[in-house]
Amino acid sequence: MHLYLSDASPLHATFGNEEGQAIYKVDSPFKLVGRTANISRVVPNDVPRGEDMQDRFAHLAQVEWHTLGSSIIRQAGQEVETKTFFQKEGLGWYGRDRVFMAPDGKEYRWELGLKTSTLVTNDKAKTRVARFHRKHYIFNRRPASLEIYPGGEEIMDTILVTFIYVEKIRKDAENASKRSHGGGP
């Protein structure tokens, strides 16, 4: 399943399925310090088709990034510091990978790649669970998308929330690298 983004940036986008139905919405107003991403999920519309086609969203989670100290993820009435939720392991292009335990009881690993993030199972098989595809502007034009493989559909909310967190970290590191090297990879 692909969740297509309405914008190239996952921090300011609606994520919709192949049919164009909005599934998630992420809004993170720009702030110099203390940026927060508010993540919402579409809720079923019980109004008969044709009468009200307006999508309705309910709060799913919030990611609050801190420059000093641990960032915070709020979801399902719980608040957890990212330094507790994620373990840093290995080395990626733009920092250390992030490992976490999902509600299904399995460990997953976000690999922070050169241009994208990929979620795999944190075991010997390293089965791909989700992958972010950046927007292509010139050749093979396509919108940005978060591809969720069949094994990840049952933890889709967790995938999206953790993706928003790790992709901002990866993108910040990519931008810092470009500034310090006068360009980028």
Side-chain angles (χ1 to χ4, degrees):
M1 160 185 237
H2 277 269
L3 294 176
Y4 294 96
L5 282 69
S6 62
D7 189 273
S9 170
L11 298 179
H12 306 284
T14 298
F15 291 69
N17 65 15
E18 289 89 350
E19 292 79 37
Q21 171 62 52
I23 307 293
Y24 297 99
K25 183 170 53 172
V26 179
D27 179 43
S28 41
F30 178 78
K31 286 183 171 180
L32 290 175
V33 179
R35 191 171 195 177
T36 300
N38 295 299
I39 305 165
S40 302
R41 177 181 50 209
V42 74
V43 293
N45 189 346
D46 55 1
V47 176
R49 278 290 288 157
E51 291 181 29
D52 182 3
M53 297 296 286
Q54 185 71 30
D55 287 326
R56 291 188 176 94
F57 290 88
H59 176 76
L60 173 64
Q62 186 177 64
V63 179
E64 184 178 293
W65 287 278
H66 296 171
T67 305
L68 302 173
S70 183
S71 296
I72 296 171
I73 296 176
R74 294 180 185 92
Q75 185 175 9
Q78 297 181 347
E79 181 175 301
V80 63
E81 292 185 333
T82 55
K83 70 180 180 184
T84 303
F85 185 74
F86 292 103
Q87 292 82 49
K88 295 179 183 179
E89 291 185 6
L91 289 175
W93 278 98
Y94 290 118
R96 299 176 71 188
D97 295 342
R98 299 305 195 276
V99 175
F100 67 95
M101 180 77 67
D104 64 1
K106 298 178 186 170
E107 268 195 359
Y108 295 90
R109 177 189 208 104
W110 275 109
E111 298 175 338
L112 306 182
L114 180 62
K115 298 272 185 186
T116 189
S117 301
T118 302
L119 182 66
V120 298
T121 56
N122 194 37
D123 55 19
K124 288 186 183 199
K126 295 204 180 303
T127 304
R128 190 176 284 180
V129 178
R131 179 182 172 97
F132 180 57
H133 300 275
R134 291 168 75 147
K135 180 176 182 173
H136 283 239
Y137 294 95
I138 301 172
F139 301 109
N140 192 19
R141 294 181 81 162
R142 68 171 190 237
S145 70
L146 179 61
E147 183 175 9
I148 299 178
Y149 295 88
E153 291 179 357
E154 68 185 50
I155 59 164
M156 200 158 66
D157 289 351
T158 301
I159 290 172
L160 187 80
V161 172
T162 58
F163 165 70
I164 296 301
Y165 173 75
V166 299
E167 184 59 17
K168 180 181 182 308
I169 290 170
R170 195 205 62 74
K171 189 67 175 172
D172 286 352
E174 178 184 342
N175 290 338
S177 176
K178 286 178 181 178
R179 284 190 301 272
S180 68
H181 294 100

